[in-house]
Amino acid sequence: MKIIDLLREDRLSLSFEVFPPKTDTAFESVKSATEEIAKLKPAFMSVTYGAGGGTSKYTLDIAKNIKDTYGVSTLAHLTCVSSTKETVRKKIEEIRAAGICNVMALRGDLTPEMENSDRSGWSYRHAVDLVRELRESGADFCIGGACYPEIHPESVNQKDDILRLKEKVDAGCDFLTTQMFFDNNLLYNFMYKIREAGITVPIVAGIMPITNANQVERAIKLSGSHMPQRFKSLVDKFGTSPAAMKQAGIAYATDQIIDLYANNITNVHVYSMNKPDVAEKIQANLSHIIGL
Ligand code: FAD
């Protein structure tokens, strides 16, 4: 099923993100974790592509298994930075052949070597180039793109970032998923600005449940997200007790989701990081709300 059709509903749509194994030996345990999450029957599941230094070898295997075995719609991530046309076209054909109709079109992060290299000869310099390639492939894909309520770290300012985002949507994105954020007001402000800029596609709010203190630093480094004082206090108080921190992190994420839905943001994607217990607790906390 195309994800865009799920996002147009008025009810809260809760989806989960998983990532493929970083090594061959981890395949079975990752597969089993993603299956536990699929059993929760979320609106859809996304499978990342080599994010955080991982391999991209198993993205399609995991996505296909979730779809075929559990009937959950899947969104396969794909990045294009520094790839050749041949590689990207082959990947697109593999996605289509696997029967996956939802693709998250991403540029991918630049390594320090890439940042210092001559990028003029690259076939794909931005995600918009991949969106165009996917549209030109002729396959009937539902395409998602990334967006950044706190602006992308490489952007000169938010106005320019939103202009680029509009170009990406106009090239063929059906919906956008946000980078994680911990202060909902940042999203409300961003929504106002993008709607004013003429971006009308559905926005999926990305929520990361922070369940251990070590994750905080990594999350900030990856996303550049602002940590509100309310969240910092929680880490200060519970950070040294793993069980308490997990409970508090899940409660914080749940609270964010309830506030989003109360403000008519109906699509929420949880960065569940291959943790079925976290996904399950968040879903259970929202059981009556999801039914509304
Ligand atoms: P782009 O849309 O290309 O934007 C990147 C920067 O370039 C922005 O500053 C933008 O304003 C600017 N820009 C865009 N177009 C132009 C243009 N034409 N000219 C000049 N400047 C332009 N990474 C992975 O490796 N694997 C994943 O699976 C993955 N999943 C993600 C999922 C989500 C929801 C998000 C938010 C991020 C994900 N990432 C993933 C990280 C992502 O690859 C990085 O954030 C990357 O730095 C930017 O990707 P993008 O697709 O947003 O790029």
Side-chain angles (χ1 to χ4, degrees), residues 56-117:
S56 308
K57 199 166 132 189
Y58 294 114
T59 297
L60 273 188
D61 293 323
I62 299 278
K64 189 170 160 39
N65 180 50
I66 294 165
K67 174 178 71 69
D68 293 348
T69 315
Y70 296 92
V72 174
S73 298
T74 48
L75 171 65
H77 289 206
L78 180 63
T79 65
C80 60
V81 69
S82 81
S83 293
T84 62
K85 286 228 174 234
E86 195 192 359
T87 313
V88 168
R89 286 179 181 165
K90 191 164 164 261
K91 269 286 160 205
I92 293 174
E93 182 47 33
E94 283 170 16
I95 295 173
R96 200 199 52 72
I100 292 169
C101 61
N102 304 293
V103 183
M104 186 73 175
L106 298 145
R107 185 196 68 178
D109 279 321
L110 300 176
T111 61
E113 299 80 60
M114 287 176 189
E115 280 183 43
N116 298 324
S117 66

Side-chain angles (χ1 to χ4, degrees), residues 218-258:
R218 187 171 148 73
I220 299 175
K221 202 171 153 209
L222 271 177
S223 65
S225 304
H226 161 71
M227 292 281 170
Q229 187 53 47
R230 197 173 141 247
F231 187 80
K232 284 185 195 157
S233 306
L234 183 151
V235 180
D236 283 347
K237 180 80 179 168
F238 306 116
T240 52
S241 164
M245 184 62 224
K246 191 170 190 176
Q247 199 166 40
I250 289 171
Y252 190 93
T254 305
D255 194 37
Q256 266 193 287
I257 298 170
I258 293 172

